Amino acid sequence: MKTKLLLVAAIVAITGCAKSSTGRSQITLFSDSELNKMGATSFEELKQKEKISQDATINKYVQCVARSITKNVSKAAHAGDWEVVVFDSDQVNAFALPGGKIGVYTGILNVAKGQDQLAAIIGHEVAHVTERHSNERLSSNQLVQMGAAVGGAVMAQQEVENKETWLMVGLGIAQYGVLMPYSRMHESEADIVGQELMAKSGFKPSAAIALWQNMAKQSKGAPPEFLSTHPSNKTRINDLSKHLSKAERVYQQSTMRPRC
């Protein structure tokens, strides 16, 4: 049992040396090649399952915004071209996956008004990739599972009463006290990194604030922030507003001015 505990501690100590672009320590148990393979597999499955838009005008528009954003992505995050697919769906959604994959649902175009707001969406999603959030989420889930297994073994050895109840309590604490805040932190980080990325790509960073104001109108009845994997719209708007002056300086220094 001591060996298992030491193994978990060693993994955390070794992987905790990774840093996000914001300077935050990260736990990343998976290699880039593993994440890229997962991303490519998931993307292919989605392309088989979801209807792909054949609208030439929409595709050209989305491709233009995405291409402008990805020009400024570090080669360390993805060295090749990014594959961008527009899905014909009313879902208000978009995503980016490791391995250079971007998906945009046509439904989000009803909320993201104009190229700058769409750039805020794509910049946010690409920031999840550049900041290795998928790796962190998979790693944190794996560590929680390892911890539950070790805890279960300890209680079995010590003949703890009601061990199933204690395990459920522990997993609940991990879910609401660790994993959900961790996910909210990722979303907040992607908001800020994405706002700078869109600004560097020549899109007006103030559009990120307007976007989430639009989102707030669409998300009535959302759960309380502490029970959600995402920050509240109010939190996001406040964070982006506080960061706007820095993002505006990045925008003014950019030589890019896309016309999508």
Side-chain angles (χ1 to χ4, degrees):
M1 181 52 55
K2 288 182 180 179
T3 302
K4 288 183 178 180
L5 291 171
L6 288 172
L7 177 60
V8 173
I11 289 172
V12 173
I14 292 170
T15 57
C17 298
K19 296 279 187 181
S20 71
S21 70
T22 61
R24 180 177 54 80
S25 296
Q26 297 177 298
I27 297 174
T28 52
L29 303 181
F30 298 86
S31 68
D32 289 341
S33 60
E34 287 177 305
L35 267 295
N36 291 345
K37 185 176 180 181
M38 291 180 200
T41 299
S42 297
F43 202 61
E44 289 304 314
E45 290 175 355
L46 273 171
K47 289 196 297 184
Q48 295 298 319
K49 184 172 65 174
E50 301 282 357
K51 182 181 178 182
I52 296 176
S53 173
Q54 301 301 317
D55 188 308
T57 301
I58 290 178
N59 272 276
K60 183 179 179 181
Y61 169 56
V62 173
Q63 292 281 349
C64 175
V65 174
R67 187 166 56 249
S68 300
I69 292 287
T70 55
K71 280 181 181 178
N72 289 297
V73 173
S74 167
K75 298 300 181 184
H78 182 66
D81 293 332
W82 287 69
E83 182 181 3
V84 183
V85 174
V86 180
F87 295 103
D88 190 358
S89 169
D90 290 335
Q91 285 191 56
V92 181
N93 198 15
F95 63 88
L97 298 174
K101 310 296 181 183
I102 295 174
V104 175
Y105 291 83
T106 53
I108 206 163
L109 302 180
N110 297 321
V111 181
K113 306 295 185 181
Q115 66 170 23
D116 298 297
Q117 290 190 26
L118 179 58
I121 286 287
I122 295 177
H124 169 93
E125 298 302 334
V126 169
H128 280 307
V129 175
T130 63
E131 300 308 308
R132 301 186 295 274
H133 290 165
S134 294
N135 200 329
E136 285 191 275
R137 291 180 187 183
L138 287 170
S139 299
S140 61
N141 277 309
Q142 184 159 314
L143 287 174
V144 166
Q145 292 172 11
M146 290 170 65
V150 170
V154 169
M155 286 189 286
Q157 285 187 351
Q158 297 181 356
E159 298 181 354
V160 174
E161 293 184 5
N162 302 318
K163 63 181 179 181
E164 291 82 5
T165 301
W166 282 110
L167 282 174
M168 290 300 294
V169 170
L171 289 172
I173 291 172
Q175 178 69 16
Y176 291 106
V178 179
L179 298 181
M180 279 189 172
Y182 202 39
S183 183
R184 291 196 295 271
M185 177 180 60
H186 286 161
E187 292 297 322
S188 294
E189 187 171 62
D191 282 344
I192 298 306
V193 174
Q195 189 182 39
E196 286 194 24
L197 179 57
M198 68 180 290
K200 187 177 181 180
S201 303
F203 297 100
K204 298 175 183 177
S206 59
I209 299 168
L211 169 71
W212 287 106
Q213 289 170 338
N214 292 348
M215 287 287 193
K217 298 174 184 177
Q218 295 281 325
S219 58
K220 294 178 180 178
E225 183 170 348
F226 77 95
L227 290 177
S228 175
T229 58
H230 289 59
S232 69
N233 292 311
K234 182 178 179 180
T235 295
R236 304 183 95 141
I237 290 167
N238 288 341
D239 289 347
L240 288 164
S241 297
K242 290 176 183 177
H243 192 257
L244 182 59
S245 60
K246 181 178 180 181
E248 285 284 4
R249 289 194 294 272
V250 174
Y251 173 71
Q252 294 301 329
Q253 292 168 3
S254 172
T255 58
M256 297 178 66
R257 289 295 183 269
R259 294 183 178 180
C260 300

